[in-house]
């Protein structure tokens, strides 16, 4: 059975690791006054064997979230980086704290009234992070990524949309869950709501801003891009970034499927992009393993992986 068939039952399968501990999970349940019953939750099966769901919530969880902070709007200079491991509950709290610490507050005045505004709406950070944790495909061992730039944060989760579901469906609030037992636990702990409202909450949190969140999906990844509300409004730069968001990687991937190989100018002309913008998109796609680069200089070309 391929991955498209196996991820639906991954959380119910027997964990290869059976020596599991649940300190973070038990603390989370205790704080919500909910009994931590392993079999009822799907952490153990009826034979008392730990499932992959149990592994995800245990201190021995093999999956991690990598967070990187960059100076500027490109990945040219690291400011800080961290890899968060352990139970998904531990990762949730530590990653949120890591981002929240860097979510700066800026103040201005309207008459005598002081108005504070953080770089990113807290509800958007929360919902993007929970989406990254609850809906990723855990049958892949790769880490999820969060990248913080001066003008945006990108949350990249492993696993594209489920078959038959489109990005437009998600934005309308249609929810088909990849990990139903994991989602049910987060729902019982009141960390998420039952009916896929996270994307709409993100959109609503930017309703009064000229900057809007963007969502990019490929076959194997889902990305949420949150713009910095306090980023200097440079018109030319804003337009360039809007082009990036309006031309997501999945369109270029569709283009690549019909071309044995292609170069930067092919993509640039097809999608009416500037050389700088096109180069940035292709570099990001190469880094994320969607395409591979061959040749040098003017002979550089790309191939779909």
């Amino acid at each position: 059975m391929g991955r498209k068939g196996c991820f639906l039952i991954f959380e119910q399968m027997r964990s290869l690791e059976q020596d599991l501990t649940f300190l973070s999970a038990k603390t989370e349940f205790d704080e919500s006054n909910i009994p931590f019953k392993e079999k009822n939750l799907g952490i153990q099966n009826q034979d008392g064997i730990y499932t992959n769901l149990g592994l995800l919530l245990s201190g021995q969880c093999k999956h991690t979230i990598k967070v990187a902070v960059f100076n500027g709007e490109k990945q040219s200079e690291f400011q800080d980086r961290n890899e968060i491991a352990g139970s998904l509950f531990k990762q949730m709290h530590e990653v949120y704290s890591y981002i929240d610490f860097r979510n700066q507050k800026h103040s201005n005045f309207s008459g005598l009234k002081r108005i504070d505004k953080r770089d990113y709406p807290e509800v958007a950070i929360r919902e993007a992070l929970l989406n990254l944790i609850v809906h990723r495909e855990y049958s892949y061992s790769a880490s999820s990524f969060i990248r913080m730039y001066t003008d945006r944060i990108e949350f990249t989760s492993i696993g594209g949309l489920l078959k038959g579901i489109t990005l437009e469906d998600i934005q309308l609030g249609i929810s088909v869950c990849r990990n139903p037992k994991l989602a049910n636990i987060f729902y019982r702990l009141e960390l998420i709501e039952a009916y896929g409202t996270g994307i709409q909450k993100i959109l609503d949190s930017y309703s009064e801003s000229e900057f809007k969140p963007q969502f990019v999906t490929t076959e194997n990844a889902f990305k949420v891009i949150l713009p910095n509300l306090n980023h200097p409004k440079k018109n030319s730069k804003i337009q360039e970034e809007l082009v990036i968001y309006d031309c997501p990687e999945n369109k270029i991937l569709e283009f690549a499927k019909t071309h044995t190989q292609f170069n930067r100018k092919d993509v640039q002309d097809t999608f009416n992009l500037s050389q700088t913008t096109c180069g940035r998109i292709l570099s990001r796609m190469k880094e994320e393993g969607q395409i591979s680069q061959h040749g040098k200089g003017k002979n550089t070309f790309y191939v779909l992986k």
Side-chain angles (χ1 to χ4, degrees):
M1 183 183 294
R3 289 192 185 276
K4 289 294 182 185
C6 71
F7 63 63
L8 292 174
I9 60 171
F10 175 79
E11 62 179 6
Q12 303 171 38
M13 295 170 63
R14 180 186 186 277
S15 169
L16 296 178
E17 175 68 56
Q18 289 293 311
D19 187 16
L20 306 181
T21 57
F22 296 95
L23 179 60
S24 295
K26 289 177 180 177
T27 299
E28 199 73 32
F29 274 77
D30 288 344
E31 291 178 352
S32 298
N33 295 316
I34 298 176
F36 185 74
K37 297 182 178 180
E38 297 176 353
K39 288 185 179 180
N40 291 351
L41 296 169
I43 292 173
Q44 284 184 336
N45 62 25
Q46 294 305 310
D47 297 322
I49 302 297
Y50 284 119
T51 62
N52 282 330
L53 176 62
L55 179 63
L56 294 176
L57 300 182
S58 74
Q60 290 69 42
C61 178
K62 306 299 183 183
H63 301 277
T64 64
I65 300 176
K66 294 181 178 179
V67 190
V69 183
F70 298 94
N71 283 322
E73 301 169 19
K74 301 179 181 179
Q75 297 181 20
S76 55
E77 183 181 350
F78 275 102
Q79 179 179 329
D80 190 33
R81 69 181 81 185
N82 201 353
E83 183 171 7
I84 314 297
S87 167
L88 294 188
F89 292 121
K90 175 177 176 288
Q91 293 185 41
M92 175 185 69
H93 288 295
E94 291 190 7
V95 171
Y96 184 83
S97 295
Y98 186 93
I99 297 174
D100 190 60
F101 178 75
R102 291 160 178 79
N103 188 8
Q104 298 182 26
K105 182 183 293 184
H106 298 258
S107 301
N108 55 51
F109 291 87
S110 178
L112 297 175
K113 186 177 181 181
R114 171 175 164 168
I115 300 174
D116 294 326
K117 183 168 69 175
R118 304 189 79 178
D119 288 344
Y120 303 95
E122 293 170 80
V123 65
I125 296 292
R126 167 190 164 86
E127 296 300 329
L129 176 59
L130 287 170
N131 179 81
L132 182 108
I133 292 173
V134 174
H135 296 297
R136 72 153 282 175
E137 183 181 334
Y138 286 102
S139 60
Y140 285 101
S141 59
S143 299
S144 297
F145 283 93
I146 300 174
R147 298 179 175 94
M148 302 184 69
Y149 303 88
T150 55
D151 64 331
R152 68 195 186 278
I153 300 181
E154 298 182 354
F155 295 78
T156 304
S157 179
I158 305 302
L161 299 180
L162 294 179
K163 186 176 181 180
I165 299 298
T166 67
L167 185 56
E168 290 76 14
D169 294 331
I170 296 297
Q171 292 175 311
L172 288 174
I174 296 174
S175 179
V176 179
C177 192
R178 173 177 278 113
N179 307 302
K181 290 185 179 296
L182 178 63
N184 182 59
I185 288 175
F186 274 68
Y187 170 67
R188 291 184 62 181
L189 293 170
E190 299 184 350
L191 293 168
I192 63 173
E193 296 184 7
Y195 298 106
T197 59
I199 297 298
Q200 189 58 51
K201 285 183 177 180
I202 293 173
L203 292 170
D204 290 345
S205 68
Y206 281 84
S207 61
E208 298 182 1
S209 170
E210 65 181 284
F211 298 105
K212 301 300 179 185
Q214 300 294 329
F215 308 95
V216 180
T217 181
T218 68
E219 185 176 358
N220 296 312
F222 184 82
K223 181 186 292 185
V224 178
I225 306 171
L226 303 181
N228 184 339
L229 292 171
N230 294 313
H231 187 257
K233 297 175 176 58
K234 301 176 183 177
N235 291 332
S236 61
K237 190 64 181 177
I238 291 172
Q239 292 304 316
E240 181 177 334
E241 292 304 328
L242 285 175
V243 171
I244 292 178
Y245 300 149
D246 289 339
C247 181
E249 288 93 329
N250 59 324
K251 291 183 180 180
I252 297 178
L253 287 175
E254 290 300 317
F255 170 82
K257 289 177 182 177
T258 61
H259 295 75
T260 304
Q261 65 184 50
F262 57 95
N263 58 34
R264 175 189 51 74
K265 196 170 189 309
D266 294 331
V267 177
Q268 184 177 328
D269 293 343
T270 301
F271 296 102
N272 193 29
L273 301 173
S274 70
Q275 180 175 335
T276 301
T277 298
C278 185
R280 185 179 304 164
I281 296 174
L282 293 174
S283 293
R284 186 160 58 217
M285 293 177 68
K286 182 179 69 173
E287 178 191 342
E288 293 178 357
Q290 298 169 340
I291 58 176
S292 58
Q293 179 178 328
H294 305 271
K296 294 182 180 180
K298 294 182 178 180
N299 295 321
T300 298
F301 65 92
Y302 301 90
V303 174
L304 179 68
K305 277 194 173 183

